[in-house]
């Protein structure tokens, strides 16, 4: 049997131009270069910007894996990944002043496109995707969501569609500042649906500290609560607000890829559906709020795709069940986050091998499904060729 | 094949004494009796206490299903439930003034015990549990958590152990007011472990409105966001704080039953474990915070039990995987919540049949597992006889 093609659809970059922009800032998100010459510090979460911690130790160190594409390519080679669909890491462009948004979005998206073109042309065209001898890249673009008019966002979506290596857009949960059930986003959903670009929904803001018992409790265990729980819960809330507000009723062909296997959507889908069916406020039950027309299960099996970044068989089985099989699930790594703590040259990353193992365990003996999740689905859904 | 014994381990009551206490209050939680003679209104969530809504329409109507045990027994009969382990519904006694806590806890727990004794003695002893001809009751007690000293709480736990029908205690996520990773709770965990009473952890507070985009967004879709997402996310956060703080390392025989199949814990267990293994703040990784000693998977398979109230096969499969099989999963209904919107005499509740169907689908063809989840596990774990 042929070794399956492996595509990583959840892998982030901070292109050099983005790092330079962050270096020029002094409020979150920003990059600080310690005068000692130690690794730059990346401060992207407000909880990281703790004024009681010296600036040189605040946030996280960023090595070259964050911005040097050659490090990404070496990571791919080491982990048997043939193709990566790179996306700008959080917090994307959410924080930009309105007048800056368009120019930075174009610049960064052009950077991403240029990087893919350069890497792929260096690969021998005869030996590309499928032959496993050279790594190839595709990308998700970023949107100028803080731009002064939705036309600018829509314009960038249409421009992205013309760039040969762009296959979708990555977006956080803030939208235009009021969440993803904001009717003003309909123009954006329409443009995504029309172009066929997939929306990669990814968390960044987590939950308010009070959800964890206040700032002390939130940070008591390092990043565990905000990253292990805050991130997936944020995604779940965002996509649930989309479906409750009827986004998928109005845009029935919208394609959305949810980070971290949907946050917790696959697990909670049944409870969400039950609460909708029991909600007196919805029209269907005699209330005065429209409510969603389509079931959560239908949306999970028509509009939603899930990455397989869930670190275990338990989560993965829920994802498979919720999305109706193996053909909506896509392998990913979350690179360059979660590197091994004692990075020994040549050793695989446990965060990656855990996900490989979960896929192999969930589909034990079903080579077609494994092959689909590892790469076949991504090639088909994102038209990677 | 014999019809399996069915035990409902997630079923709530507001005993008449508790209702009277709520009637005497004017702040959340409280009960208001409309002068019109319409059904009393129960206002238990701060989001329900909307001053712009007339008092007569605030909160939810409470019919006799909330406090009349005969209604519960009829519900059981209708849905083929042989035995119920009743528990005080949220918010339990969290809100009581310190000097009131002990007396109300004793009074309510004695009420629960008395109700079980009365119902079970009415049932023909020869035809009880296992013979399906009469319904039987057991109960979880409530704790005086706001009492002025932990000795009072511990004393009530030991007293509960002497009551013949009490099998555990139900508790929210607030603990002594600072969450369940509060070291002052160690006395409580020790007493629970020593008595063998199970801790039924249940949500009530949900998430701060800002998690959903502010109060307007939170209530835009009725109760869907707070109930479908806020509740399970609250449970997940609470139990994760317990395990991160080492509660299960210090109390390795503590038994805990998680409402709603663990909130989202089964789905997120892999991500939590991965984040712990990558957290530099923990001793194991060179930091200065102890961190948990046991893996999330170990705790899920040793200390944690999950109800099967998850409304679908997707969630249920994650629960089975996470807890290592069918023997830690227990059928429940969440009665009297989620009744049919158009309650027709004699029709089964969809919220209940959805859970029955999910259990039958997940264990299709495996009668032993179905029987275990429906009742066998509860009989064994809670010693129901």
């Amino acid at each position: 049997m042929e070794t399956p093609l492996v595509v990583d659809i959840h892998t982030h970059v901070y292109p050099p131009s983005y790092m330079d922009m962050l270096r020029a800032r002094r409020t979150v998100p920003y990059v600080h270069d310690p005068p000692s010459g130690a690794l730059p510090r990346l401060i992207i979460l407000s909880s990281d910007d703790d004024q009681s911690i010296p600036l040189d130790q605040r946030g996280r160190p960023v090595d070259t894996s964050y911005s040097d594409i050659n490090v990404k390519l070496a990571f791919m080679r080491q982990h048997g990944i043939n193709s990566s669909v790179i996306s700008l890491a959080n917090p994307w462009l959410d924080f930009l002043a309105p007048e800056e948004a368009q120019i930075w979005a174009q610049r960064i998206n052009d950077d991403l496109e240029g990087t893919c073109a350069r890497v792929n042309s260096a690969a021998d065209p005869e030996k590309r995707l499928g032959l496993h001898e050279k790594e190839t890249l595709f990308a998700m673009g970023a949107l100028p969501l803080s731009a002064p008019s939705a036309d600018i966002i829509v314009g960038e979506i249409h421009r992205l569609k013309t760039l040969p290596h762009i296959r979708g857009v990555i977006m956080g949960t803030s939208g235009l500042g009021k969440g993803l059930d904001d009717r003003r986003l309909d123009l954006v959903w329409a443009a995504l649906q029309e172009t066929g670009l997939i929306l990669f929904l990814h968390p960044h803001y987590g939950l308010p500290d009070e959800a964890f018992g206040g700032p002390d409790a939130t940070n008591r265990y390092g990043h565990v609560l905000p990253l292990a729980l805050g991130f997936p819960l944020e995604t779940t809330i965002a996509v649930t607000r989309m479906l409750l507000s009827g986004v998928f009723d109005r845009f029935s062909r919208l394609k959305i890829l949810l980070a971290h296997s949907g946050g917790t959507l696959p697990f909670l889908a049944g409870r969400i559906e039950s609460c909708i069916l029991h909600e007196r406020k919805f029209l269907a039950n005699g209330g005065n709020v429209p409510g969603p027309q389509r079931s959560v299960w239908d949306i999970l099996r028509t509009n939603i795709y899930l990455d397989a970044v869930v670190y275990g068989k338990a989560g993965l089985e829920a994802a498979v069940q919720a999305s109706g099989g193996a053909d909506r699930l896509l392998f990913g790594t979350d690179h360059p986050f979660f590197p091994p703590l004692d990075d020994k040259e040549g050793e695989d990353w446990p965060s990656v091998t855990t996900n490989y193992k979960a896929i192999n365990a969930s589909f034990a003996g079903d080579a077609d499904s494994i092959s689909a999740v590892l790469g076949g689905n991504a090639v088909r859904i994102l038209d990677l060729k």
Side-chain angles (χ1 to χ4, degrees), chain A residues 111-358:
Chain A
D111 263 12
L112 292 169
E113 170 61 27
T115 298
C116 296
R118 205 165 54 248
V119 166
N120 294 8
S121 69
D124 179 342
E126 291 301 300
K127 293 185 171 175
R128 263 196 239 146
L129 211 63
L131 296 179
H132 304 192
E133 301 222 350
K134 287 283 188 183
E135 293 70 33
T136 56
L137 298 180
F138 296 89
M140 307 274 190
L143 295 182
L145 292 169
S146 60
S149 109
D151 291 347
I152 294 175
I153 310 171
V154 169
E156 185 62 7
I157 293 172
H158 286 284
R159 195 184 76 88
L160 284 169
K161 181 66 181 173
T162 69
L163 303 184
H165 297 89
I166 302 288
R167 289 297 183 274
V169 300
I170 187 165
M171 194 190 280
T173 63
S174 169
L176 304 180
K178 292 186 176 294
L180 301 187
D181 55 0
D182 182 349
R183 284 302 285 257
R184 295 176 302 160
L185 281 166
D186 275 9
L187 285 170
V188 174
W189 310 141
L192 288 172
Q193 178 169 277
E194 189 188 332
T195 55
L197 290 171
I198 201 167
L199 169 67
F200 183 17
L201 178 62
H202 193 289
H204 165 70
Y205 298 95
L207 292 178
D209 285 350
E210 307 93 88
F212 300 115
D216 285 352
T218 305
N219 298 313
R220 192 172 294 154
Y221 314 106
H223 290 96
V224 176
L225 290 172
L227 283 184
L229 307 188
F231 261 38
L233 305 189
E234 177 194 354
T235 305
T236 312
I237 292 169
V239 67
T240 304
R241 288 174 66 182
M242 286 177 77
L243 67 87
L244 289 176
S245 68
V247 168
F248 300 105
D249 298 321
R250 298 195 296 285
F251 304 97
S252 60
R253 291 177 292 112
L254 186 62
K255 294 189 291 187
I256 177 168
L257 169 66
L258 299 181
H260 316 117
S261 290
T264 64
L265 183 66
F267 190 82
L268 292 179
R271 185 171 174 90
I272 294 167
E273 185 68 7
S274 179
C275 284
I276 290 170
L277 295 175
H278 286 86
E279 177 53 53
R280 291 184 189 276
K281 200 162 185 170
F282 290 146
L283 276 183
N285 300 324
N288 56 13
V289 171
Q293 302 305 300
R294 296 169 56 203
S295 83
V296 179
W297 303 113
D298 178 27
I299 292 165
L300 271 161
R301 289 158 195 187
T302 311
N303 302 94
I304 290 177
Y305 300 90
L306 304 170
D307 72 26
V309 183
V310 68
Y311 308 102
K313 201 178 160 190
L316 204 61
E317 301 252 318
V320 174
Q321 278 297 328
S323 56
D327 63 349
R328 310 184 71 79
L329 209 58
L330 300 90
F331 175 78
T333 64
D334 220 345
H335 183 263
F337 301 104
F338 304 112
L341 289 190
D342 54 342
D343 197 359
K344 294 192 188 113
E345 192 70 36
E347 276 189 17
D348 283 353
W349 290 28
S351 60
V352 177
T353 54
T354 302
N355 281 316
Y356 268 127
K357 280 180 199 156

Side-chain angles (χ1 to χ4, degrees), chain A residues 14 19-20 22-23 30-44 54-67:
Chain A
Y14 290 110
M19 290 295 284
D20 290 343
L22 294 181
R23 280 193 164 88
Y30 66 99
V31 164
H32 166 74
D33 289 295
S36 65
L39 285 175
R41 309 296 298 192
L42 177 66
I43 299 97
I44 55 171
L55 197 51
D56 289 4
Q57 293 160 37
R58 220 173 283 170
R60 69 189 83 191
V62 276
D63 60 28
T64 51
S65 67
Y66 285 72
S67 54

